Structure formats: C-alpha cells, structure tokens
Amino acid sequence: MRGVKFLKIIVVMDDATSGSGDLIAQHGASFFLEISNGEEIRNILVDVGQSSGMLFHNMERLCLSPEMVDIIVLTHCHYDHTGDLAEVVRAVGKRDLPVVAHPTLFRPHFAYRPCLRHIGVPYGNGPAEVEAAGGKLLLSTAPVPLLEGVTVLGEVPRITDFEEPGVNAVTSLDDKLVEDPLEDDTALAVYIEGQGVVVVTGCSHSGVINILRYSLELFPGMPLDGVLGGFHLIKADDRRIEKTVSAMADLKPRWVAAGHCTGFNAQVALRNRFKEAFEPLFVGKTMTVSTP
Ligand SMILES: [Fe+2]
Ligand SMILES: [Fe+2]
C-alpha cells in the first residue's frame, strides 16, 4: 500500500498555549498539516478554530500563511471548529479550494442547556458564502482520499458500547426536533510508509476508539503510529475514561497527543497509561513523522 513519506502537524489553535511566546489560545481547534509523498507537498488545514483573527495571528507567528493552504477539512459543525470559515477560505485566495466535510455540516445544531443557542456553523458561513469566497464544497459520508495514503474518514461507524457524542444538542429532521447524534463527526488518517497510521481528530464526538478502529480498517494491516486532537472526554466519568484509555492502549500507539476538549481527568489518565508517549496539546506544538 502506498503512503506518504513525511507528515508535519502544527497546532495553530487549541484551548491551551505553552505559556511562553505571544501565541493566542481560544476554545477550539485548528491543525496545519504539511504532507509530502516525496514528489509533492500538500498543506491541509484541519478545522479553522472559532476566530479568523486569532487563527491568522497564530499562523503568522508560526511562519504560516493562509495562502499556503491547499485543502480545508472540517471535522464537524461546531462553531469552535468552523467559525469564520468563509473568511479563512477568502484568505487562502484560491478558486475551487477543496473544503471537505459531511453533507449535514450546515444543519441547524442547537444546544439547549442552559438555554437554546446555535452551536453549529456560525451565521455568514453557509455553503453559498463559502463558495463565494472561493471554496468548493466536497460533502461526503464516504471516505474522501486527499492524496494516496491520506483520507478523510467520512461517517465513522459507531461500534463501541462505551462511547457517545458527549454533547446535548438538537437538530430538526423531517419537521421534528430530534437529539443530534453528530453524525458529521469525522477525522483524518495519514499512512506514513514504513511507520504507520497517524489519526488527527477534531472533537471525537464519534468516539475516539471508533475513529481509531475505523482508520485502521481503511489501512488494513498497518499499525497505529499516533493520534492527535480532541477526544471529548471533558464530561466523561472515570469508568468511560478508563475504558477509552485501555482500548487505546490495545491499539498500541507509539504516541498520543490530546488537548482541546479532552479534559484534565482524561489527560491525567492518558499520561499515567502512556507515560512519556503522551503529550498535551497547545498552540504552537509541532509533531513530525517520517518514513524511517
Ligand atoms: Fe470542539
Ligand atoms: Fe465539537
């Protein structure tokens, strides 16, 4: 199976900073991926955080610019991953910039505690605005290959009996208000030749273990190298955290990097289990994986 030779992940937005420098943290996530197959380099922006001003500030300090982006992937609808999407697409400044997401991304998505408020793709960032800014939407429930060895998962089968989306929100379906299962929640898998599969998640509302297992199904026989992103265990009880951590350990990742909505308790449990192989995320953190 063909994969890529080199992957660099730079955290351009997260809920935390390293505590030094002038990078800005804001609730949300955005990861800049530089991927090379030995012949070509592709830069993929996974999620765009919630404020383009802060995103661009961090990118500039990290010697990145929106014009470098070749593809945008949106892991799910939440405002802290899709905020100012149209502005980001405009700043990239390309025609027909691929913007990959699930077909239900732009649905109404309302939290109802403590009161009703929209927490999906924010106003002014609908399909028409994104396409007017230069984006070309590629909405799919099936996996979307971005280059050989790099795949957006599409809809993730929910197999585990201990994972759930972790968000109380509603949407409208057939003129009825229904609990929103966040079917759009996806992730990106990158197979690095001779090394293994790296998985980049947004919030893991599909369940991080479901995401990891499905990623490995898409690259049969390949080992898991590492996983980076939000695991959305912030409100999970100790039982669920323990089940998640031990199921993750069964997959034998070489490294685990978790932040955003992972939550302090889950970060502690991951650190206890994976020791130095666990690292918390923060803005500016950079990971590289390459073919040996
Ligand atoms: Fe989030
Ligand atoms: Fe989320």
Side-chain angles (χ1 to χ4, degrees):
M1 181 180 293
R2 272 205 67 185
V4 301
K5 304 267 196 266
F6 175 83
L7 165 69
K8 183 196 271 187
I9 306 173
I10 304 168
V11 178
V12 285
M13 189 52 75
D14 184 71
D15 296 42
T17 65
S18 67
S20 63
D22 63 351
L23 297 165
I24 300 171
Q26 184 180 41
H27 177 56
S30 179
F31 309 118
F32 185 97
L33 274 53
E34 182 191 317
I35 299 175
S36 168
N37 60 10
E39 288 147 33
E40 292 175 276
I41 293 174
R42 282 283 177 282
N43 296 320
I44 299 166
L45 192 64
V46 179
D47 291 343
V48 299
Q50 61 170 295
S51 151
S52 58
M54 294 188 188
L55 185 79
F56 296 159
H57 169 95
N58 286 345
M59 287 181 88
E60 195 202 328
R61 297 302 190 279
L62 294 163
C63 301
L64 303 170
S65 72
E67 296 86 28
M68 294 163 74
V69 173
D70 299 306
I71 299 169
I72 292 179
V73 173
L74 300 163
T75 60
H76 64 300
C77 68
H78 282 156
Y79 69 97
D80 55 320
H81 299 251
T82 60
D84 290 342
L85 172 62
E87 183 53 39
V88 175
V89 169
R90 193 171 301 114
V92 173
K94 294 184 176 130
R95 275 196 185 181
D96 291 335
L97 172 77
V99 178
V100 180
H102 188 276
T104 64
L105 187 86
F106 297 99
R107 71 194 181 283
H109 178 71
F110 287 86
Y112 50 84
R113 287 189 190 126
C115 58
L116 200 65
R117 70 192 171 101
H118 189 242
I119 59 166
V121 179
Y123 176 79
N125 295 282
E129 285 104 343
V130 171
E131 297 217 332
K136 191 73 188 167
L137 291 166
L138 180 50
L139 305 177
S140 172
T141 58
V144 178
L146 304 183
L147 64 158
E148 246 184 319
V150 183
T151 298
V152 180
L153 304 187
E155 217 167 286
V156 176
R158 300 189 181 185
I159 308 294
T160 56
D161 60 3
F162 57 90
E163 298 185 294
E164 38 83 33
V167 172
N168 296 116
V170 287
T171 189
S172 62
L173 190 70
D174 302 330
D175 297 334
K176 282 198 195 76
L177 203 63
V178 293
E179 242 353 92
D180 191 330
L182 276 149
E183 276 174 347
D184 57 327
D185 184 82
T186 191
L188 186 88
V190 181
Y191 168 54
I192 297 102
E193 278 179 17
Q195 187 64 39
V197 178
V198 171
V199 179
V200 178
T201 72
C203 280
S204 302
H205 296 297
S206 300
V208 66
I209 301 304
N210 286 327
I211 287 171
L212 293 176
R213 288 181 183 167
Y214 189 50
S215 298
L216 294 174
E217 250 176 60
L218 296 179
F219 294 98
M222 300 306 156
L224 179 65
D225 190 61
V227 52
L228 176 145
F231 298 172
H232 209 88
L233 296 167
I234 196 153
K235 291 180 192 150
D237 58 22
D238 288 348
R239 197 178 132 271
R240 180 178 169 196
I241 290 174
E242 174 45 37
K243 285 192 171 192
T244 303
V245 172
S246 85
M248 195 174 285
D250 290 344
L251 298 172
K252 299 186 171 54
R254 192 170 60 86
W255 56 271
V256 175
H260 179 43
C261 53
T262 301
F264 177 73
N265 291 345
Q267 284 187 321
V268 170
L270 288 162
R271 163 74 202 184
N272 287 340
R273 185 62 166 253
F274 293 103
K275 310 293 182 207
E276 288 74 32
F278 171 78
E279 295 179 68
L281 287 192
F282 51 84
V283 179
K285 183 179 183 58
T286 300
M287 313 265 317
T288 57
V289 180
S290 50
T291 297

